[in-house]
Amino acid sequence: MVAVDNLSLQLYTVRYKLEEDFDATLARIAEIGYTKVEPFGIPGNADKLAEALPKHGLSAPTTHAGLLRDDAAPIYAAAKKLGISTVIDPFVDPARWQSADDIKATAEALNQASVEAAEHGITVGYHNHQFEFENKIDGAHPLEIFVDHLNDDVILEVDTYWGVVGGGDIPTLLKKWGNRVQAIHVKDGDGTLNNKAQTAVGDGTIAIADILAAAPQALRVVELDDFTGEIFDAVEGSFKFLTGEGAPS
């Protein structure tokens, strides 16, 4: 089982609910049993989050923010306001993963960001999609090359679903990268690019137990990019599967 204090929810999952009723959405997340969330867009939502998170007994150890695309200063300020210790860049253009030189340049940019972030007491990391795995360069996936050029203090949040979709042997890579993997996105579905085919964790085709066992140190962050039914059914189903049906921690 996954301990509740090692489980989080990426708020992108419930983005439409947040637009309808921000406070009620966070209340529902807490009612299900989550104690941690992973926000996005924090510079624009810092005040609302600062009020709502403690109100509902929620904390945010990690966040997604475009450190390599946006002005970092507002991101760091919002993270400090919210008590967020890790800022994860969630996306670098797929075109930047086609050559070793481009990959090394991206790694160096994130290394530089990590130096600046450290001055604010913040750790930085990277979150993948499928395109960092789809091709190989000299026998290695682009994300493997990227990791080889990162400073030791830059962490990974491996999106395990997209890694599988892209063709990566995710349990093996999680073990290879060890403690650099401080968080993983846990999601399930049919293993295709069709976001609508994603499911509650445990209802799809992904080898969830193997993935969790390969990264015991990592925060488990539930996420769905999309869903055909009521999203909170999948959010709650994921929570129940991970905490109550014997999934390895």
Side-chain angles (χ1 to χ4, degrees):
M1 284 198 307
V2 175
V4 172
D5 64 0
N6 199 33
L7 189 60
S8 183
L9 176 70
Q10 166 55 251
L11 291 181
Y12 183 79
T13 304
V14 293
R15 58 197 179 278
Y16 301 122
K17 298 287 188 180
L18 289 167
E19 290 173 3
E20 293 171 6
D21 192 325
F22 194 89
D23 190 74
T25 298
L26 292 176
R28 178 71 180 113
I29 291 167
E31 181 186 20
I32 289 169
Y34 291 91
T35 61
K36 294 179 171 66
V37 294
E38 184 173 74
F40 62 98
I42 58 170
N45 290 310
D47 290 342
K48 286 196 293 186
L49 286 164
E51 179 182 356
L53 292 180
K55 176 181 176 181
H56 299 295
L58 297 169
S59 63
T62 60
T63 188
H64 278 194
L67 287 172
L68 304 185
R69 301 186 304 278
D70 303 328
D71 181 5
I75 295 170
Y76 296 141
K80 291 189 77 171
K81 181 182 182 74
L82 297 169
I84 295 171
S85 58
T86 302
V87 176
I88 298 162
D89 195 299
F91 180 89
V92 170
D93 191 287
R96 300 291 297 169
W97 298 94
Q98 303 305 309
S99 75
D101 286 344
D102 283 346
I103 294 166
K104 292 173 188 175
T106 299
E108 182 55 33
L110 201 59
N111 289 338
Q112 289 298 316
S114 75
V115 173
E116 180 183 352
E119 297 174 359
H120 300 273
I122 291 171
T123 298
V124 302
Y126 184 72
H127 160 280
N128 62 278
H129 289 81
Q130 85 283 353
F131 46 79
E132 297 94 339
F133 290 94
E134 285 178 328
N135 60 310
K136 285 194 173 182
I137 301 169
D138 296 329
H141 292 295
L143 196 66
E144 293 181 89
I145 297 170
F146 178 69
V147 172
D148 287 343
H149 289 87
L150 291 177
N151 290 345
D152 290 343
D153 59 349
V154 178
I155 66 103
L156 293 177
E157 178 178 61
V158 177
D159 190 308
T160 58
Y161 184 82
W162 289 127
V164 169
V165 172
D169 181 346
I170 297 307
T172 296
L173 289 171
L174 290 173
K175 292 174 185 175
K176 172 186 174 182
W177 291 328
N179 286 334
R180 189 186 290 275
V181 182
Q182 287 297 304
I184 57 174
H185 270 191
V186 183
K187 64 177 74 168
D188 212 340
D190 68 354
T192 72
L193 291 169
N194 179 12
N195 288 349
K196 286 285 190 182
Q198 291 179 18
T199 68
V201 177
D203 288 349
T205 64
I206 305 301
I208 299 296
D210 293 342
I211 286 168
L212 296 179
Q217 75 288 343
L219 178 70
R220 285 81 163 91
V221 184
V222 171
E223 184 189 40
L224 290 93
D225 296 284
D226 211 337
F227 187 60
T228 56
E230 164 54 50
I231 190 61
F232 272 123
D233 290 345
V235 170
E236 184 170 12
S238 297
F239 182 89
K240 288 181 175 178
F241 176 81
L242 290 168
T243 62
E245 293 189 12
S249 60

